Every structure is written in structure tokens, then in C-alpha cells.
Amino acid sequence: MVHTDRPTRTRRPLNWVLLGIALALLIAGITAPHALLVAAGLIVAGLTGLGHQR
């Protein structure tokens, strides 16, 4: 196996998209006081973090 010194990319672009969606849900839930939107934003953000574990 050939070893290269280049670092590999560990983050996928989908993670950034999901974090953006989570942030949008949180902001929408805070501005229009709606607990369901806040909860959905927190759940999406948590799922994004779970996908990054090894």
C-alpha cells in the first residue's frame, strides 16, 4: 500500500448542507416562537454530528 503525505478530506459537503438546514430551522423557530421548529433544528444538528463519529 502506498502512503501519501497529503491529508484526506474527512468532511462531506452534505454535512455542511444539513448544518445549514438545522441553523435555518433554529432561527425560524426562535423568530416565530414555535418549539417544533427549534426541536427539529436541534435534531438535524445532532444527526449531523452523529454521522461524523467513527
Side-chain angles (χ1 to χ4, degrees), residues 1-22:
M1 188 160 101
V2 177
H3 178 70
T4 61
D5 291 332
R6 292 186 337 199
T8 58
R9 287 187 82 181
T10 57
R11 292 193 180 246
R12 290 179 243 153
L14 180 62
N15 286 348
W16 291 108
V17 172
L18 288 176
L19 283 175
I21 291 171

